[in-house]
Amino acid sequence: MAYHGASYYIFFATDPKLALEEISFDLKELLADVMDLFREKVREKGLELQLSFLENIPSRLLSDPSRLRQILINLIGNAIKFTEKGGIEVKVEGHESSDSTFHVKIQVIDTGVGISAEAMGQLFQPFSQADNTHTRRYGGTGLGLALSQRLAAALNGKVEITESQVGQGSTFAFTFNANLDDKDKKLGSSAGSGKNSEKSLLTGTRILFADDSSDNALLAERILTKRGATVVIATNGVEAVELAGSRDFDLILLDIQMPYMDGYQALRLLRLEGYKRPIIAVTAHAMSHEIKQTLDAGFDANITKPLDQSVLINTLEVWLSKNGIRRRVLSS
Ligand code: ADP
């Protein structure tokens, strides 16, 4: 105990006042980068790693992205470390607060070993690990959560464990308050109203949407063109593959169930023909086995029907920014 006390002091004494920055950054890009760090590990362990946005997030916020990154790496890293089967979902939501800052909540939900009620109370103490066997089995120092909580407090937020059951998994929630970057308009804030196209990562991109249901395709077209994307609609997999061979698309959405050639076959052909940019599956059910099946087949992400405007926009923006499309559009 005495040793822990002393180390605790040394640990925080090296950093008595956290130096924070406030710079403009894109939360979606930051999350996409952090998720990328773990792709290999997740694949090795046969887990799923999903990112979902529950609401619109402004394209730019003012906060300290390198501190945010540290916290996210700790939470997502822990979730992967303590999960052997199933997966990890990172859910992002946010709203503008009355003081015109933006409140963001990021939940990291895993299906891992879970934490006993007893151990939960100690988790955020430096050097505490839920179980003495954890150090031997998983390594680690027991410092990550203590530091994350301290960083989060400096960002006007907190890290907490909101749910956990031994053998079932855990949910950690990280909240923080950021300032809005006034130079940038809030995405989707006038969705459904004005006719002007809104500034978005989608502006200037070319999207192929393959779906035999015209309702669905037209809805997607309306949402995406409003943000300055050019949308081409295909009604089946054959058409999608032909169109992709003759024109340059930044991203392709494929409905899974289509006549003549379904989404899975179209995906295989597109990859065989050398299409290297994101391909996103559109499925009818949000059933987790179906989502897993599409990711296993090689789709980059999955969107479920009925299409939700925020989910559609946010997912596309994440995948477009991962592929450097943003930089290309802005510099051309
Ligand atoms: P470390 O991971 O280096 O041990 P942390 O402070 O990040 O340090 O975590 C402290 C302890 O909390 C871990 O050792 C583990 O026992 C428990 N823990 C953290 N995250 C999870 C999780 N997602 N699932 C189960 N246990 C967890």
Side-chain angles (χ1 to χ4, degrees):
M1 258 349 243
Y3 166 76
H4 281 183
S7 303
Y8 173 42
Y9 172 72
I10 292 162
F11 169 62
F12 284 149
T14 54
D15 193 12
K17 263 204 201 109
L18 285 171
L20 289 180
E21 284 188 302
E22 188 174 74
I23 47 182
S24 172
F25 73 102
D26 184 332
L27 181 63
K28 288 179 199 126
E29 266 182 44
L30 184 125
L31 278 158
D33 282 352
V34 172
M35 304 287 268
D36 263 355
L37 293 175
F38 293 109
R39 295 248 166 243
E40 196 54 42
K41 186 80 205 158
V42 163
R43 197 163 301 152
E44 259 172 38
K45 289 186 85 169
L47 299 171
E48 283 176 59
L49 180 59
Q50 279 250 43
L51 176 62
S52 62
F53 290 86
L54 299 188
E55 288 165 44
N56 280 347
I57 305 293
S59 53
R60 299 201 80 78
L61 291 171
L62 292 168
S63 183
D64 189 327
S66 62
R67 302 305 199 173
L68 293 174
R69 204 178 143 87
Q70 245 176 302
I71 298 169
L72 289 167
I73 288 176
N74 179 238
L75 295 181
I76 300 172
N78 276 349
I80 294 168
K81 184 159 100 172
F82 295 108
T83 302
E84 296 308 329
K85 62 174 196 294
I88 292 91
E89 187 183 355
V90 180
K91 262 190 187 168
V92 188
E93 57 195 296
H95 61 264
E96 202 168 328
S97 313
S98 48
D99 58 358
S100 79
T101 60
F102 197 81
H103 184 78
V104 181
K105 177 174 180 184
I106 302 176
Q107 296 185 83
V108 180
I109 306 160
D110 70 53
T111 55
V113 297
I115 300 163
S116 69
E118 225 183 340
M120 260 191 228
Q122 301 297 314
L123 273 195
F124 293 93
Q125 299 298 322
F127 302 105
S128 88
Q129 296 189 317
D131 185 324
N132 291 337
T133 61
H134 278 185
T135 319
R136 253 181 293 128
R137 271 178 67 194
Y138 303 103
T141 56
L143 287 174
L145 286 174
L147 179 60
S148 292
Q149 201 181 44
R150 190 157 182 269
L151 290 172
L155 298 167
N156 302 317
K158 59 184 180 209
V159 173
E160 55 191 343
I161 177 158
T162 52
E163 220 185 306
S164 190
Q165 273 193 39
V166 174
Q168 306 280 311
S170 316
T171 300
F172 281 82
F174 163 37
T175 52
F176 67 95
N177 258 333
N179 282 316
L180 288 162
D181 187 351
D182 293 337
K183 285 190 254 66
D184 226 65
K185 247 210 247 101
K186 194 179 159 192
L187 276 183
S189 56
S190 57
S193 54
K195 288 185 176 58
N196 295 339
S197 108
E198 289 165 30
K199 189 164 173 281
S200 155
L201 290 184
L202 285 156
T203 307
T205 58
R206 288 142 308 195
I207 312 289
L208 175 61
F209 195 102
D211 195 333
D212 56 319
S213 135
S214 60
D215 285 358
N216 214 33
L218 291 174
L219 172 65
E221 185 185 31
R222 203 167 62 233
I223 296 170
L224 300 176
T225 50
K226 198 161 181 299
R227 282 160 183 79
T230 303
V231 179
V232 175
I233 295 174
T235 58
N236 60 58
V238 180
E239 247 180 70
V241 174
E242 274 173 13
L243 281 164
S246 63
R247 294 194 222 171
D248 192 20
F249 291 103
D250 296 308
L251 184 146
I252 298 177
L253 288 137
L254 296 175
D255 183 31
I256 288 303
Q257 286 180 326
M258 290 184 290
Y260 310 117
M261 185 189 287
D262 69 13
Y264 289 109
Q265 290 169 293
L267 169 79
R268 272 196 297 276
L269 271 178
L270 286 166
R271 291 300 186 213
L272 269 176
E273 292 184 0
Y275 184 82
K276 292 201 172 60
R277 292 184 187 155
I279 306 184
I280 295 175
V282 182
T283 50
H285 309 285
M287 305 288 286
S288 64
H289 72 269
E290 219 174 46
I291 294 175
K292 181 169 176 2
Q293 204 178 334
T294 57
L295 299 177
D296 286 349
F299 281 100
D300 292 301
N302 179 301
I303 296 180
T304 50
K305 292 196 269 189
L307 286 179
D308 175 275
Q309 167 164 303
S310 315
V311 172
L312 177 67
I313 294 167
N314 284 316
T315 308
L316 263 55
E317 287 188 338
V318 165
W319 285 94
L320 289 167
S321 67
K322 272 164 107 62
N323 278 260
I325 307 295
R326 173 188 173 74
R327 280 167 285 280
R328 188 170 60 69
V329 170
L330 292 184
S331 61
S332 63

